[in-house]
């Protein structure tokens, strides 16, 4: 019972405590709410103040912008007003000028009418004068006009020829010294051996007993050797000597080396001959490639296609006018390099073009194209530079020269070929060239005689003094030189001397 009473008392006490705590919490919550409301009111007032300040600031900024825009508009308006005033002033001036021009136009029209009247009078007077002159001279005005045109034309031609002669002489005086200096300097700095190759090679043997072994039974050995090499082998009474004859120097070299190996080995029979010739041909091909590589290394040329290197090496066994083609090409390359440097051009391109300019002469194919054009196609095929391609194709004037490297190659090619002893020309072709020169000059009217002298380096033309004047003689020399340049091919240059003289002859009896 006591326990029950204690529990009930405990429960009642806890209830009382709960109610007391609830009142305390309710009171505290009311206080918190009041505080929160006060703080909210304060924050609200602060935000309202900030909003008002921001509004006022934006308002001030807007007013400033509006004022600036108004100022700009006012200045624009002022400028427009000034322009309107200026245009109005200009318009008034234009109107004044229009009025003045009307007055002037009326005056000019009046003067023009007066001039037309005077012109009519003058024409009538001129016609009367012409009739009088025609009656005096017994010549119509058209005939007189034609004679005047002819006389003026002749006078103009004479003046033009005199001007051309003066201009040419002045240009020669200015350019001759510099050109001579460059060419002489180039020639002096490149010294090349001038060797003349023949169409035969001499093979020396130790004794004449070997001749029988080389000929073989019934000539089978010598026939096999000739068939394998394409070279004519001449065995005659000349002691200890065998002659190898062929136009192709490469074939002669193959035959010489093969014969040398056969004689050294001692075994000479058809099967052995074919084997040795094939071996020598392989050696020659390797030597050609090695010669091409050595040549471009010596000249300092880089990036050349392997096929072009092989063709350069092949030049060693090719001759042109009896001049070794490789020596000629090397000399031309060095001359081109020096001359290009003197003229402030690229020496490497000039040297490359000089080395390859006769590439078409050593091609493996037999074509009807000139060697310059075929060499140009080969260079283009193996991706050479356009300057090099054009210089190769134009060095004999088959195509138009597009760069300065083309005339350099042409000049250096002529210099190399014109060295004393460098080339040997066939007598028939030499005589034919001299006759062509003389016949070309004889084709002009007024020419009496022609003489090609100094090995074709000078052409003397004798004209009739009664048919050609001094001025016409100068004109004739220019025309002949131009025609020779256009129609003929020749090394170096040709001097044309036109001779006109008046002879008075009488006899004392």
């Amino acid at each position: 019972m006591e326990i029950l009473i204690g529990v009930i008392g405990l429960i009642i006490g806890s209830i009382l405590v709960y109610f007391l705590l609830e009142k305390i919490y309710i009171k505290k919550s009311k206080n918190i709410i009041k505080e929160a409301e006060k703080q909210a009111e304060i924050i609200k007032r602060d935000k309202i103040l900030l909003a008002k300040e921001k509004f006022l600031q934006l308002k001030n900024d807007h007013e400033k912008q509006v004022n600036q825009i108004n100022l700009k508009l006012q200045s624009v308006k002022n400028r427009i007003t000034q322009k309107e005033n200026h245009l109005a002033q200009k318009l008034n001036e234009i109107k004044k000028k229009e009025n003045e021009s009307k007055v002037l136009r009326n005056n000019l029209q009046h003067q023009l009418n007066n001039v037309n009247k005077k012109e009519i009078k003058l024409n009538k007077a001129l016609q009367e004068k012409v009739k009088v002159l025609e009656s005096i001279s017994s010549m119509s005005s058209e005939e007189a006009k034609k004679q005047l045109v002819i006389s003026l034309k002749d006078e103009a031609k004479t003046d033009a020829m005199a001007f051309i002669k003066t201009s040419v002489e002045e240009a020669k005086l200015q350019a001759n010294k510099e050109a001579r200096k460059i060419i002489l300097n180039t020639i002096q700095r490149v010294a090349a051996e001038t060797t003349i190759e023949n169409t035969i090679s001499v093979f020396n043997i130790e004794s004449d007993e070997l001749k029988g072994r080389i000929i073989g039974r019934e000539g089978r050995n010598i026939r096999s050797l000739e068939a394998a090499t394409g070279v004519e082998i001449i065995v005659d009474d000349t002691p200890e000597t065998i002659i190898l004859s062929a136009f192709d120097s490469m074939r002669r070299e193959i035959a010489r080396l093969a014969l040398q190996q056969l004689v050294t080995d001692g075994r000479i029979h058809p099967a052995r001959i074919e084997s040795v010739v094939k071996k020598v041909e392989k050696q020659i091909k390797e030597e050609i490639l090695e010669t091409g590589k050595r040549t471009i290394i010596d000249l300092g040329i880089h990036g050349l296609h392997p096929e072009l290197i092989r063709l350069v090496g092949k030049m060693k066994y090719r001759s042109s006018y009896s001049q070794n083609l490789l020596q000629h090409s090397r000399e031309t390359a060095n001359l081109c390099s020096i001359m290009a440097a003197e003229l402030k051009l690229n020496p490497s391109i000039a040297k490359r073009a000089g080395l390859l300019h006769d590439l078409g002469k050593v091609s493996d194919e037999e074509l009807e194209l000139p060697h310059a054009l075929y060499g140009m196609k080969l260079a283009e095929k193996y991706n050479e530079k356009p300057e090099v391609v054009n210089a190769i194709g134009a060095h004999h004037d088959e195509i138009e020269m597009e760069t300065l490297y083309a005339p350099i190659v042409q000049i250096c090619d002529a210099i190399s070929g014109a060295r004393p002893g460098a080339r040997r020309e066939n007598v028939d072709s030499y005589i034919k060239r001299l006759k062509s020169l003389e016949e070309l000059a004889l084709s002009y009217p007024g020419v009496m005689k022609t003489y090609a002298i100094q090995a074709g380096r000078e052409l003397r033309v004798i004209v009739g003094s009664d048919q050609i004047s001094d001025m016409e003689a100068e004109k004739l020399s220019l025309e002949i030189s131009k025609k020779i340049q256009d129609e003929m091919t020749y090394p170096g240059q040709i001097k044309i001397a036109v001779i006109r003289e008046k002879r008075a002859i009488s006899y004392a009896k």
Side-chain angles (χ1 to χ4, degrees), residues 41 69 72 96 157 185 249 260 298 348 364:
E41 189 67 26
I69 292 168
K72 288 181 180 178
K96 287 181 181 179
K157 279 185 179 179
N185 185 31
S249 56
Q260 185 177 3
D298 290 344
S348 300
D364 298 324

Side-chain angles (χ1 to χ4, degrees), residues 385-433:
K385 293 181 179 179
E387 298 94 335
V388 176
V389 173
N390 178 255
I392 293 170
H395 80 275
H396 282 314
D397 293 323
E398 268 93 6
I399 63 170
E400 186 178 353
M401 296 182 180
E402 296 176 356
T403 66
L404 284 175
Y405 296 102
I408 287 175
V409 171
Q410 188 180 56
I411 291 166
C412 294
D413 177 39
I415 290 171
S416 176
R419 284 186 184 274
R423 294 187 174 184
R424 183 179 61 197
E425 195 171 12
N426 186 287
V427 176
D428 292 337
S429 63
Y430 168 73
I431 294 171
K432 184 179 178 182
R433 181 161 63 84

Side-chain angles (χ1 to χ4, degrees), residues 195 197 315-316 318-320 322-328:
T195 57
E197 295 185 357
M315 289 179 184
K316 179 182 177 181
R318 177 72 163 81
S319 60
S320 176
S322 300
Q323 184 182 23
N324 182 268
L325 192 59
L326 181 59
Q327 293 295 332
H328 166 63

Side-chain angles (χ1 to χ4, degrees), residues 72-247:
K72 288 181 180 178
L73 289 172
Q74 187 62 36
S75 63
V76 170
K77 185 177 179 181
N78 293 335
R79 285 200 299 272
I80 291 170
T81 304
Q82 288 177 357
K83 286 183 179 180
E84 287 178 350
N85 295 332
H86 184 68
L87 288 171
Q89 187 177 358
K90 289 282 185 184
L91 185 62
N92 292 330
E93 291 176 359
I94 289 168
K95 286 181 178 179
K96 287 181 181 179
K97 287 182 179 180
E98 283 183 354
N99 293 329
E100 291 175 357
S101 64
K102 285 180 181 178
V103 174
L104 286 172
R105 193 160 52 243
N106 293 330
N107 292 333
L108 288 172
Q109 185 64 40
H110 180 67
Q111 291 177 4
L112 183 64
N113 294 331
N114 292 334
V115 168
N116 289 332
K117 290 178 182 178
K118 289 180 180 180
E119 185 179 3
I120 293 168
K121 290 180 180 179
L122 286 172
N123 286 333
K124 288 181 179 178
L126 182 63
Q127 288 176 359
E128 291 175 358
K129 293 283 184 182
V130 168
K131 287 179 180 178
V132 172
L133 288 172
E134 286 180 353
S135 62
I136 294 171
S137 62
S138 67
M139 184 187 296
S140 67
S141 60
E142 289 297 324
E143 291 175 350
K145 198 181 293 182
K146 286 180 182 178
Q147 285 193 359
L148 181 61
V149 168
I150 290 168
S151 63
L152 288 174
K153 190 184 291 184
D154 293 338
E155 186 178 353
K157 279 185 179 179
T158 305
D159 292 342
M161 287 303 302
F163 179 73
I164 289 169
K165 183 184 176 184
T166 306
S167 301
V168 169
E169 287 176 354
E170 288 178 358
K172 284 180 179 178
L173 286 173
Q174 292 177 359
N176 207 17
K177 288 184 179 179
E178 196 64 29
R180 283 182 180 177
K181 188 189 296 182
I182 291 172
I183 292 173
L184 287 173
N185 185 31
T186 304
I187 294 171
Q188 287 171 353
R189 288 169 63 181
V190 179
E193 296 180 0
T194 54
T195 57
I196 298 178
E197 295 185 357
N198 300 314
T199 57
I200 61 171
S201 296
V202 177
F203 180 74
N204 297 316
I205 55 178
E206 294 179 357
S207 65
D208 288 341
E209 295 176 0
L210 287 172
K211 290 182 178 180
R213 294 177 59 189
I214 291 170
I215 294 171
R217 185 180 296 174
E218 296 179 355
R220 62 178 186 173
N221 291 345
I222 196 169
R223 284 199 300 273
S224 298
L225 191 57
E226 286 180 343
T229 59
V231 174
E232 183 182 358
I233 300 173
I234 302 169
V235 181
D236 54 16
D237 296 334
T238 308
E240 299 179 355
T241 300
I242 293 175
I243 297 172
L244 308 176
S245 176
F247 286 101

Side-chain angles (χ1 to χ4, degrees), residues 8-26:
I8 292 170
L10 184 61
I11 292 169
I12 291 169
S14 62
I15 290 169
L16 291 172
V17 171
Y18 171 78
F19 280 114
L20 286 172
L21 289 172
E22 184 180 7
K23 286 182 179 180
I24 291 169
Y25 285 131
I26 289 170

